Amino acid sequence: LYTMQKRKRVLVKFSGEALSGNNGFGIDTSILKFIADEIKSLVVQGIEVGIVIGGGNIIRGVSAAKDGIIKRTSGDYMGMLSTVINSIAMQEALEHVGMEVRVQSAIKMEAICETFIVRRAQRHLEKSRIVIFAAGTGNPFFTTDTAATLRAIEIGADMIIKATKVDGVYDRDPNKFLDAQKLHELTYERAMDDNIKVMDDTSIALAKDNNLPIVVCNMFEKGNLLKIIEGNLENCSIVR
Ligand code: UDP
């Protein structure tokens, strides 16, 4: 028997909105390409990468159900389907830059992608394939942040990285308050604070119970993801 050094494994979460670029809707392929290159830079360093993408650029359950015509549960299924659309797009962009990718959906969609099976996902990761987890948790009333946290724990990721438009967590909304202070490190309890809201409470509680560190960073800063995984936490915030 021989022992192999354990490789780093991360789960990166992107919001759907990020994919739409300046359009506010749909998918901007130049952003897909940018993300694909960032993810590739991790894989070539031997890091195992799982991805979850939101669906907010297409449909969010709460907004779809706003006027009562569409039921919340149906709106949520529509939202989950949006994440599948985004995942297929991301798969294409990653293949375009030479990566091996599998999409695994929480809801069975045989003709489009694999179904989520944790052991199979593990196997793909071990073979340096990127796994994109689509359709959220497969249940209404949850978010893709919760899905990302859940999948991160299931695959035994070292951390979940929430890639956003801001470079970390602030004590209040940095877009509204000029004197907002960046918090480099915070506890799970603090992360649930109303002014901070790193993720929804369900996600944070799940991360806390399983000691999963949550990193929040700016996705548009080239090279940032790799730096963070290599231990340079200057340009992000960490919840642990
Ligand atoms: N959704 C759901 N269950 C899940 C994950 C997502 O019902 O486990 C639905 C929900 O309606 C949500 C939509 O999918 O609004 C899109 O996901 P999310 O809002 O988290 O996307 P993001 O804001 O990250 O783009």
Side-chain angles (χ1 to χ4, degrees):
L1 273 172
Y2 62 94
T3 47
M4 219 166 43
Q5 204 197 332
K6 193 182 167 289
R7 299 208 293 170
K8 288 197 178 112
R9 183 174 285 180
V10 296
L11 190 298
V12 188
K13 157 82 202 309
F14 298 97
S15 75
E17 238 166 39
L19 300 190
S20 62
N22 296 326
N23 306 331
F25 183 84
I27 298 167
D28 180 335
T29 48
S30 68
I31 293 188
L32 278 185
K33 172 76 165 59
F34 176 84
I35 296 176
D37 283 329
E38 288 295 288
I39 297 293
K40 180 178 180 172
S41 74
L42 309 181
V43 177
V44 298
Q45 291 299 319
I47 297 157
E48 299 175 355
V49 187
I51 299 176
V52 168
I53 313 173
N57 55 323
I58 304 173
I59 281 172
R60 281 208 180 90
V62 174
S63 325
K66 208 169 43 198
D67 62 7
I69 296 170
I70 296 174
K71 282 194 285 293
R72 169 69 192 274
T73 44
S74 297
D76 279 343
Y77 281 114
M78 292 158 71
M80 286 183 253
L81 288 173
S82 326
T83 72
V84 181
I85 296 176
N86 287 336
S87 298
I88 302 287
M90 195 68 242
Q91 172 171 247
E92 288 298 311
L94 286 163
E95 282 180 355
H96 178 79
V97 299
M99 298 288 93
E100 272 203 63
V101 197
R102 296 291 185 274
V103 174
Q104 288 202 341
S105 169
I107 298 168
K108 194 167 170 179
M109 280 183 224
E110 237 175 315
I112 298 174
C113 58
E114 293 181 4
T115 302
F116 172 67
I117 298 172
V118 71
R119 283 168 184 273
R120 199 163 178 194
Q122 306 258 23
R123 207 57 203 112
H124 289 319
L125 294 167
E126 283 162 13
K127 290 181 185 165
S128 301
R129 291 181 187 140
I130 296 155
V131 183
I132 307 176
F133 301 103
T137 62
N139 301 291
F141 302 104
F142 286 93
T143 63
T144 50
D145 279 354
T146 302
T149 310
L150 177 64
R151 294 298 182 241
I153 294 163
E154 286 181 281
I155 62 171
D158 300 298
M159 64 174 84
I160 175 170
I161 302 180
K162 181 166 167 156
T164 67
K165 289 176 188 164
V166 283
D167 66 347
V169 180
Y170 286 77
D171 61 351
R172 45 191 156 160
D173 189 345
N175 296 315
K176 287 188 201 145
F177 299 94
L178 285 172
D179 60 345
Q181 295 280 319
K182 185 172 162 182
L183 307 167
H184 285 279
E185 187 168 343
L186 58 159
T187 61
Y188 295 104
E189 288 77 13
R190 184 90 201 267
M192 284 192 214
D193 213 81
D194 275 341
N195 298 320
I196 295 176
K197 283 276 173 208
V198 174
M199 291 182 173
D200 55 290
D201 290 354
T202 313
S203 317
I204 298 169
L206 200 55
K208 178 176 184 251
D209 283 350
N210 295 280
N211 295 313
L212 175 76
I214 306 168
V215 169
V216 179
C217 72
N218 182 350
M219 61 178 280
F220 294 107
E221 219 177 278
K222 213 169 170 45
N224 207 16
L225 290 178
L226 183 58
K227 264 195 237 156
I228 289 165
I229 296 163
E230 287 178 339
N232 180 343
L233 299 178
E234 251 165 59
N235 253 323
C236 65
S237 296
I238 185 162
V239 183
R240 60 182 165 192

